[in-house]
């Protein structure tokens, strides 16, 4: 069992997920010269995986790394695009981040806040497995679509 | 006429306005040691006045001055507090500002975006007269309260 666990790929097995595909597409959109064309989605998204051991080693003092902020933005950009695909409402992102790694992210469609998330330990943003990354994204998307269905008028205002 | 105009105080006549009083209170809240107790509201808010001549002299290149960003935050903080007084809904502020002085500010109550403002020429944020400053604040507040009345449920969600 132990050796099996050690041999398992980082992030565990890849999962088939619309959200993971969207996130990969958002990241590939920045690859203007096609330098990542040979890389798999798992390769270009490897930084979204933070194992339990890695997590422990990341200090949470000082300003969060710009790369972490970039990853968080891409995560919510992908969520915004999936919300648009499923509801027809374009959702734009706003962030408010403190220097200590606390913050708030919202996605706004029309007059409606479709996603609101308070973040902490921003420094350690990441997921243990692809499955958990996919689930986290899908959950936020589902909640946002449900919010739009509850309040359709301000979402389209 | 000309001499009269030249002799007029900067910002024109003071006006009696709930918004101006709220803005002064927001600014005085930062004066922990009472150093501004002897100063009038017009004194402590003098930087909100930008005359036509001053406006022309402010370059709009480079990052906006942190003091301008501070003024904009205080302006919308005061608006948020007035919205709460008039509607009972607490409104919190989020900003998204580019390095070029373009940006967006929103005030969010519950799930509702009660104020959404796209800013440009942030460097030159200011008002010619107290009357114009008061009117600008009052208008944003009135629109926000009307928006809350239109969508009361998400505002209280």
């Amino acid at each position: 069992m132990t050796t099996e666990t050690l041999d398992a790929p980082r992030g565990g097995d890849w999962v088939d997920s619309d959200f993971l595909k969207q996130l990969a597409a958002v990241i590939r959109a920045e690859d203007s010269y096609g330098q990542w064309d040979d890389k798999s989605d798992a390769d270009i998204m490897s930084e979204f995986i933070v194992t339990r051991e890695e997590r422990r080693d990341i200090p949470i003092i000082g300003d969060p790394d710009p790369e972490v902020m970039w990853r968080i933005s891409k995560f919510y950009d992908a969520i915004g695009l999936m919300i648009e695909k499923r509801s027809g409402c374009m959702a734009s992102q706003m962030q408010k981040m403190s220097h200590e790694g606390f913050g708030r992210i919202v996605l706004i469609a029309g007059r409606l806040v479709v996603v609101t998330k308070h973040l902490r330990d921003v420094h350690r943003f990441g997921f243990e497995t692809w499955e958990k990354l996919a689930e986290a994204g899908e959950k936020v998307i589902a909640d946002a679509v449900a919010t739009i269905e509850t309040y359709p008028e301000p979402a389209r205002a």
Side-chain angles (χ1 to χ4, degrees), chain A residues 71-134:
Chain A
R71 282 206 292 281
I72 293 175
S73 294
K74 296 300 152 190
F75 180 80
Y76 285 97
D77 282 348
I79 284 170
L81 288 164
M82 291 298 295
I83 292 169
E84 187 174 358
K85 280 183 186 170
R86 292 191 187 163
S87 71
C89 292
M90 208 181 81
S92 63
Q93 186 181 147
M94 291 184 83
Q95 299 180 353
K96 185 177 190 172
M97 216 56 71
S98 81
H99 290 290
E100 294 85 26
F102 288 81
R104 185 185 184 189
I105 290 200
V106 295
L107 293 182
I108 294 170
R111 284 283 187 168
L112 191 66
V113 177
V114 298
V115 173
T116 173
K117 199 92 180 174
H118 287 273
L119 301 174
R120 59 190 187 87
D121 290 2
V122 160
H123 307 72
R124 291 172 169 171
F125 181 81
F127 301 85
E128 271 184 69
T129 63
W130 297 114
E131 195 179 355
K132 285 187 180 174
L133 171 59

Side-chain angles (χ1 to χ4, degrees), chain A residues 4 14 20 29 39 144-145:
Chain A
E4 248 183 12
W14 186 253
L20 288 188
K39 294 191 178 187
V145 172

